[in-house]
Amino acid sequence: MKKARLEERVYFGKDGDRLPIIKTYLSEVQDGFVPKTWWPADEVGSNQSARRDHLRKLLTDVEPFGTPKPEALLQRIILISTNPGELVLDSFGGSGTTGAVAHKMGRRWIMVELGEHAHTHIIPRLTKVIDDEDPGGVSETTNWQGGGGFRYFRIAPSLLESDRFGNLIISRRYNAAMLAEAMCKVMGFTYAPSDELYWQHGRSTESDFLYVTTQTLTRDQLAKLSDEVGDHRSLLICCAAFRGKPDAFQNLTVKKIPSAVLAKCEWGHDDYSLNVANLPKAAPPVEPVQTDSAQRLTPKQTRRRAAQPNLFSTDGDGGAE
Ligand SMILES: C[S@@+](CC[C@H](N)C(=O)[O-])C[C@H]1O[C@@H](n2cnc3c(N)ncnc32)[C@H](O)[C@@H]1O
């Protein structure tokens, strides 16, 4: 507005008391004219025209989605708000119109849908778009010729759930292999279970491993694991609970599963937009104590220990059991 006023492009009416109007010159507009706020059905279609004239003919085996948006409507929205190659998100995919139009307009897209119509409507529809078997909607105005592709993922159930006392526990829907794989992902390890060593579920390097168990580990069990891991390897153990002090086992880092998972989540923000500059800073590395038999910790081990200062304290979350 300031810039427009300096350029004398703001008009307040001849007596200067009207709502301001800003002059926009054609040369400033990328493509066509400034969008109007009133979008009549004869320009952008309607639910009814989308059902009757397009989707009923496109997916003949299924009853069309109840209220599909017409492709011309999404075309206008996507044209106004994005450039070719940009990413369009519709986290409530519905009939799949957003993805179909984004695809035809050369945008990348993500759709999320929890209903079964993800399979019965969205996937068949987008497959037809890709195979150039969708002559309707905006295919003509976008000169759509088919092509491209998409990937489809199913989101796993939540790893944690509340028990009847309100405590977080590992979801009963996870079996041992699913849990090990999920924890590898959460902790940044590659899932690579070993046939020989029961404690190797994942690895981050040739000598750094992850072990996942729902057991409570005793001090003796930790000592045995430490012996097996040896001096030249390190092991991150994610377990339900543990006893004993970690300092005795320089090659082990032990974490409780609910706390380890929760520490990787961010809760309670007003603003969840990812701003890398604002990510929480890691605590400064703790200088490892060197004993006769102990080796110096690797930087990774040092970081892990520094990041879990309260894991073995008895106050609050993260205390050893
Ligand atoms: C009105 S439709 C969306 C229409 C679509 N965006 C369009 O432009 O045509 C809303 C859709 O959101 C889905 N939905 C509702 N809650 C959801 C959730 N939590 N995650 C994913 N999809 C959800 C519903 O199943 C429904 O298909």
Side-chain angles (χ1 to χ4, degrees), residues 68-79:
K69 290 190 183 57
E71 291 206 350
L73 174 65
L74 267 296
Q75 184 183 30
R76 187 171 287 190
I77 294 170
I78 291 171
L79 183 70

Side-chain angles (χ1 to χ4, degrees), residues 288-307:
V289 180
Q290 199 141 16
T291 63
D292 288 349
S293 62
Q295 289 198 330
R296 186 166 278 278
L297 294 182
T298 63
K300 185 159 204 147
Q301 290 169 324
T302 308
R303 276 199 305 280
R304 280 209 193 117
R305 300 242 163 129

Side-chain angles (χ1 to χ4, degrees), residues 219-240:
R219 196 195 173 285
D220 286 350
Q221 285 169 315
L222 289 172
K224 188 164 175 295
L225 273 166
S226 176
D227 278 350
E228 286 189 32
V229 171
D231 288 342
H232 303 292
R233 294 185 291 203
S234 53
L235 182 66
L236 170 62
I237 302 172
C238 294
C239 56

Side-chain angles (χ1 to χ4, degrees), residues 44-47 49-51 54-55 58-59 64-78 88-90 92-105 107 109-113 117 121-123 125-126 129 134 136-138:
V44 296
S46 63
N47 292 141
S49 66
R51 264 170 83 89
H54 183 199
L55 298 176
L58 182 66
L59 301 176
F65 191 75
T67 51
K69 290 190 183 57
E71 291 206 350
L73 174 65
L74 267 296
Q75 184 183 30
R76 187 171 287 190
I77 294 170
I78 291 171
V88 176
L89 167 71
D90 186 349
F92 303 94
S95 64
T97 304
T98 308
V101 176
H103 201 94
K104 292 177 187 177
M105 293 176 70
R107 274 65 167 171
W109 51 270
I110 298 171
M111 284 194 284
V112 185
E113 176 52 61
H117 44 281
H121 291 67
I122 297 183
I123 291 178
R125 178 174 181 177
L126 269 296
V129 170
D134 174 17
V138 297

Side-chain angles (χ1 to χ4, degrees), residues 112-258:
V112 185
E113 176 52 61
L114 56 65
E116 188 47 32
H117 44 281
H119 303 116
T120 54
H121 291 67
I122 297 183
I123 291 178
R125 178 174 181 177
L126 269 296
T127 305
K128 291 205 165 193
V129 170
I130 284 157
D131 294 343
D132 197 18
E133 291 172 4
D134 174 17
V138 297
S139 290
E140 207 178 308
T141 53
T142 55
N143 191 25
W144 177 245
Q145 312 271 315
F150 63 89
R151 281 178 291 167
Y152 166 62
F153 300 92
R154 229 176 231 283
I155 294 179
S158 176
L159 187 52
L160 302 180
E161 64 185 23
S162 297
D163 68 8
R164 61 200 170 94
F165 305 108
N167 298 318
L168 281 175
I169 53 167
I170 298 159
S171 166
R172 280 167 270 248
R173 291 199 274 173
Y174 275 73
N175 61 31
M178 282 165 70
L179 175 65
E181 188 171 359
M183 287 306 297
C184 284
K185 204 159 200 50
V186 170
M187 305 309 292
F189 282 65
T190 304
Y191 179 56
S194 157
D195 289 338
E196 283 117 50
L197 295 168
Y198 72 94
W199 47 266
Q200 284 188 11
H201 287 141
R203 61 169 68 224
S204 68
T205 66
E206 282 305 300
S207 57
D208 189 37
F209 300 94
L210 176 74
Y211 171 44
V212 183
T213 175
T214 51
Q215 287 182 353
T216 296
L217 293 175
T218 62
R219 196 195 173 285
D220 286 350
Q221 285 169 315
L222 289 172
K224 188 164 175 295
L225 273 166
S226 176
D227 278 350
E228 286 189 32
V229 171
D231 288 342
H232 303 292
R233 294 185 291 203
S234 53
L235 182 66
L236 170 62
I237 302 172
C238 294
C239 56
F242 55 89
R243 296 179 204 284
K245 291 196 170 165
D247 305 3
F249 311 111
Q250 199 198 348
N251 51 2
L252 304 184
T253 303
V254 194
K255 292 192 177 199
K256 283 170 48 171
I257 289 178

